[in-house]
Amino acid sequence: MAGIERRLIRLRTLVHVIAPRAGKAVPEGFRRLIAIEDVSKRYADGTVAVDRLSLQIPDRSITVLVGPSGCGKTTTLRMINRMIEPSSGTIRVDGEDVRARPVNTLRRSMGYVIQNAGLFQHRTILDNIATVPRLLGWSRQRARERAAELMERVGLDPAMARRYPYQLSGGQQQRVGVARALAADPPILLMDEPFSAVDPVVRRGLQEELLRIQGELGKAIVFVTHDMDEAITVGDRIAVLRTGGRLAQFAAPDEILSSPADPFVEEFLGSDRGIRGLSFLSTRDLELDRSRVFSVGSDLREISGRAPEGVPVLVTDADGRPLGWADPGSWDGDVEALEPHGPVFEVGRDSLRVALDRAVLSPTGQAVGVDGSGKVLGVAGQETVAAAIRSARRRRAADAPQEAPAVKAGR
Amino acid sequence: MNGFFDIPSDLQHSYGGLIAVHMQEALFPVLAGLLLALPVGLLCVHYGWLYAPLLWTSTVLYAIPSIAFFVVLIDYTGLTQLTVMIPLCLYSLVVLVPAVVDGIRSVPEETNAAATAMGIGLARRYFQVQLPIAVPAIMAGLRVATASSISLVSVGALIGNQGGLGNLLTTAQLYGRPRLAVTSVVTTAVLAIVIDALLVLLRRVLTPWQPPSGRAAGRSADVAARTPEGVS
Ligand SMILES: Nc1ncnc2c1ncn2[C@@H]1O[C@H](COP(=O)(O)OP(=O)(O)OP(=O)(O)O)[C@@H](O)[C@H]1O
Ligand SMILES: [Mg+2]
């Protein structure tokens, strides 16, 4: 998916939040919002799974609950749809206590996705997805049409409609799980480690897909994971829970990375939070060096005249696409003899983390920046990237009182 | 045909008639047992403490020879087919209740959680989710119960010719016609095999959602369930 498209989607999401929504008048500040107010859960055996937790989960955003195993993430999630009743405290949706509605009506208004999908193994994919619409009294025909529509939305081949769950891969089953949760178009989506049972590549794809779907649908999503990387990737806001069900920090991903609230959060982030934080800084303002880029047709003498002796230059084809590095003193014009340029980064779309990574991987220490069509815009060395990081941090610190940005900078 | 199929008139049935009686006496108890086992099994899953004492009681019942049942039942139900079918029904419960319980317990935790999360009520969940997923286990139990019931009906011959094809065994002794005994044994065996094949077919029709490897696993489970059999 093109990064620009994703940013547009996020932007649209933002506009939706700001724009007043038509329809039922809901008091300001309660617009489809899950409010967890001072909620505790003590199980019968005395285990305190959640301890006086308060969270405001806004509409049209992904709120991630993250923390070590047993810290009460599942318990918190299940208290929202009343699969588990809190011992004390209140949970409200749109300002209304969740206990005010019949429990099954409440649950049908919230999609739920779990690890391993929890599909009904005795039903076809189509009928699995159609479950909640059928429960809501839709005709079989209409429910199936809706299910087919959702299969497309989550990127499943329509040919799979008549298959049974055992005939699908783990990743495909997980997509069905998401489609099933979305079937009745619930305003709220609860996801409990939905992607943790699939391999990293598939997980990456599912996360991208979730962000795309969220961009289109704009649900209030509560997403549970114990993987901080996943939390950073999908979350608009992250609630870090510590063992015993206490809230350690609730903030936007980049804020958590740049200023963890306490040693627990810092340790949970791992040793490379500095590098990971770069994911949130754009390459848009990175200063690119064009003086070391030459088209393949250029006169060799011109090259050696402009570039200092011993400094490698990047040679591109006639269309501006990178071919490889050359030493201007010794290169004889043979394209085959160029040193491979390695992976490139897309200026504006990729983050400074990617740019730094490319610079580290590059044989010359220079990262190659290209535009959307693959044409070279310039090169940037590790020093240049480091300078850009420092200035982006300074700018961010100056903007600190502002709301966290809704737009994430690329991969 | 050489005395295999001319049935003495005192049995009051033709060869085909005997088969019909035999099937009726064998299959009705299993059917009744299944109808009983479904709610009882559900109760056992719901109230876990019920299961152990129930299993224990039914195992004791299984250990009682059918002839003992007949002695007690004759006072109430006389020399009728019912007297034969009541113990058979009890025997089938010994297999079917655990089959239903195992079947419902085989529903993965995630599936139940998903059902609850989607707002599927308890009754609906039982009929639309748990029972269909329990079908392979229930069918495995049904095959064992049916096969043993078909072989056990013959004991009914002890109480005034109520043993279907088993009556041929008594007659064979009485008239000194061993060929009738062969007819009895072979026919019973063939019936058991045919019914078993039909049940396998039924399961395939009911569970198109099972992976082929799952079917193989189901078969070996059948075999395992069959081994402790042989008590009569
Ligand atoms: N039914 C229960 N009875 C007693 N204790 C429970 C019950 N369910 C969960 N717990 C305990 O409550 C705590 C929180 O459990 P929970 O399932 O919410 O953790 P989690 O954060 O989802 O963990 P994981 O990442 O391993 O899924 C754990 O210590 C767990 O042992
Ligand atoms: Mg959990």
Side-chain angles (χ1 to χ4, degrees):
Chain A
M1 188 192 60
I4 188 80
E5 189 184 325
R6 178 152 135 207
R7 285 223 301 283
L8 276 176
I9 288 165
R10 291 249 174 184
L11 209 62
R12 207 178 334 132
T13 310
L14 192 69
V15 169
H16 271 297
V17 178
I18 297 163
R21 284 200 294 123
K24 198 175 82 177
V26 188
E28 195 51 46
F30 285 110
R31 224 184 300 112
R32 199 181 288 161
L33 177 113
I34 307 169
I36 298 175
E37 298 167 357
D38 206 25
V39 165
S40 299
K41 175 64 190 182
R42 176 189 288 271
Y43 283 107
D45 64 359
T47 313
V48 177
V50 176
D51 190 18
R52 307 197 52 178
L53 179 69
S54 292
L55 280 182
Q56 301 279 317
I57 295 167
D59 185 16
R60 296 182 176 279
S61 70
I62 301 180
T63 302
V64 178
L65 303 180
V66 70
S69 186
C71 69
K73 305 180 294 288
T74 299
T75 304
T76 304
L77 196 74
R78 291 189 172 187
M79 286 193 290
I80 296 173
N81 71 353
R82 291 183 59 196
M83 288 169 78
I84 295 173
E85 296 288 352
S87 312
S88 66
T90 313
I91 296 178
R92 296 175 200 279
V93 172
D94 285 347
E96 186 195 47
D97 192 328
V98 289
R99 282 167 295 196
R101 275 200 284 170
V103 67
N104 283 339
T105 314
L106 178 87
R107 288 176 185 161
R108 286 169 203 170
S109 73
M110 301 179 179
Y112 191 84
V113 189
I114 35 178
Q115 188 177 340
N116 295 321
L119 298 184
F120 296 138
Q121 61 195 81
H122 62 296
R123 290 192 182 162
T124 60
I125 300 312
L126 205 66
D127 286 340
N128 259 286
I129 300 174
T131 305
V132 178
R134 290 287 288 151
L135 284 171
L136 292 172
W138 297 23
S139 71
R140 185 178 294 264
Q141 172 71 16
R142 187 171 156 225
R144 286 194 169 160
E145 275 167 19
R146 170 74 180 153
E149 191 185 312
L150 275 157
M151 284 186 70
E152 196 175 335
R153 169 143 272 158
V154 300
L156 283 168
D157 185 346
M160 289 178 180
R162 297 255 143 254
R163 289 206 203 162
Y164 288 99
Y166 84 89
Q167 293 165 309
L168 266 55
S169 73
Q172 290 165 340
Q173 291 194 21
Q174 214 55 70
R175 283 170 199 265
V176 178
V178 173
R180 183 174 65 174
L182 289 170
D185 202 15
I188 292 169
L189 205 56
L190 308 176
M191 310 180 87
D192 193 352
E193 308 209 13
F195 308 145
S196 57
V198 293
D199 71 61
V201 176
V202 174
R203 187 179 318 149
R204 189 68 228 171
L206 288 167
Q207 289 165 353
E208 287 279 341
E209 201 85 342
L210 176 71
L211 289 173
R212 182 182 62 73
I213 294 169
Q214 170 67 352
E216 291 167 10
L217 303 179
K219 307 280 180 193
I221 299 181
V222 189
F223 189 107
V224 166
T225 178
H226 57 250
D227 174 1
M228 197 66 200
D229 275 324
E230 182 165 71
I232 290 166
T233 308
V234 303
D236 293 307
R237 285 177 80 75
I238 299 177
V240 186
L241 299 179
R242 68 171 90 241
T243 313
R246 303 176 101 100
L247 185 63
Q249 189 170 10
F250 186 36
D254 56 337
E255 192 185 331
I256 288 191
L257 283 168
S258 58
S259 40
D262 59 21
F264 167 80
V265 179
E266 190 163 1
E267 198 195 320
F268 195 68
L269 288 169
S271 54
D272 58 348
R273 68 179 171 91
I275 300 271
R276 282 199 274 182
L278 301 182
S279 307
F280 297 94
L281 304 178
S282 171
T283 45
R284 208 175 13 214
D285 303 325
L286 186 63
E287 232 170 87
L288 296 169
D289 183 1
R290 269 222 61 98
S291 71
R292 304 172 63 178
V293 182
F294 293 92
S295 162
V296 75
S298 312
D299 186 350
L300 280 177
R301 268 163 320 190
E302 188 206 337
I303 296 181
S304 33
R306 262 175 56 195
E309 187 71 23
V311 174
V313 296
L314 183 72
V315 180
T316 69
D317 65 12
D319 291 332
R321 284 180 188 55
L323 291 174
W325 293 98
D327 181 348
S330 59
W331 189 51
D332 60 358
D334 178 10
V335 172
E336 298 292 312
L338 291 170
E339 177 142 21
H341 58 74
V344 300
F345 70 95
E346 192 182 322
V347 178
R349 176 195 168 182
D350 285 324
S351 64
L352 284 179
R353 182 182 181 174
V354 178
L356 183 62
D357 181 70
R358 300 302 182 250
V360 169
L361 289 175
S362 166
T364 60
Q366 300 280 324
V368 179
V370 300
D371 66 9
S373 62
K375 286 195 184 107
V376 175
L377 293 175
V379 299
Q382 294 168 9
E383 281 310 313
T384 318
V385 177
I389 291 167
R390 282 192 297 274
S391 77
R393 287 248 165 86
R394 264 198 307 279
R395 228 174 313 143
R396 175 149 305 202
D399 293 351
Q402 272 187 335
E403 253 302 284
V407 179
K408 278 192 191 176
R411 298 175 291 180
Chain B
M1 204 176 72
N2 294 338
F4 279 111
F5 292 108
D6 38 0
I7 313 293
S9 61
D10 55 345
L11 290 183
Q12 295 171 340
H13 284 292
S14 64
Y15 177 63
L18 279 179
I19 290 178
V21 169
H22 195 99
M23 292 315 291
Q24 188 183 328
E25 282 185 70
L27 297 186
F28 271 132
V30 177
L31 197 68
L34 180 64
L35 291 179
L36 262 169
L38 289 176
V40 170
L42 179 67
L43 281 177
C44 286
V45 173
H46 214 76
Y47 304 100
W49 54 268
L50 256 176
Y51 189 41
L54 212 107
L55 208 60
W56 190 79
T57 316
S58 67
T59 309
V60 169
L61 282 178
Y62 203 56
I64 301 173
S66 36
I67 190 80
F69 275 113
F70 295 161
V71 171
V72 177
L73 285 172
I74 280 171
D75 284 349
Y76 304 93
T77 50
L79 298 175
T80 60
Q81 292 188 352
L82 198 59
T83 308
V84 181
M85 293 199 288
I86 288 173
L88 289 184
C89 178
L90 287 174
Y91 293 155
S92 77
L93 281 177
V94 179
V95 179
L96 290 175
V97 171
V100 172
V101 171
D102 291 348
I104 295 176
R105 283 190 181 159
S106 77
V107 178
E109 192 38 55
E110 288 122 18
T111 307
N112 280 323
T116 308
M118 281 190 279
I120 299 181
L122 275 185
R124 229 197 205 107
R125 188 166 92 184
Y126 179 57
F127 287 108
Q128 295 185 1
V129 179
Q130 295 178 323
L131 215 48
I133 293 177
V135 162
I138 296 175
M139 290 305 286
L142 213 51
R143 287 174 65 186
V144 177
T146 312
S148 77
S149 191
I150 289 175
S151 73
L152 285 176
V153 162
S154 301
V155 186
L158 294 174
I159 54 160
N161 285 348
Q162 296 297 358
L165 290 162
N167 299 343
L168 288 178
L169 292 173
T170 356
T171 315
Q173 269 183 323
L174 203 62
Y175 298 119
R177 287 180 52 190
R179 285 182 175 179
L180 285 181
V182 174
T183 308
S184 168
V185 171
V186 171
T187 312
T188 311
V190 169
L191 280 180
I193 290 166
V194 168
I195 297 291
D196 195 56
L198 286 177
L199 285 174
V200 171
L201 203 70
L202 180 64
R203 187 193 58 193
R204 295 239 167 119
V205 171
L206 288 179
T207 60
W209 48 268
Q210 266 205 304
S213 60
R215 281 201 184 118
R219 248 199 307 277
S220 60
D222 293 358
V223 175
R226 221 174 263 262
T227 2
E229 198 201 347
V231 195
S232 76

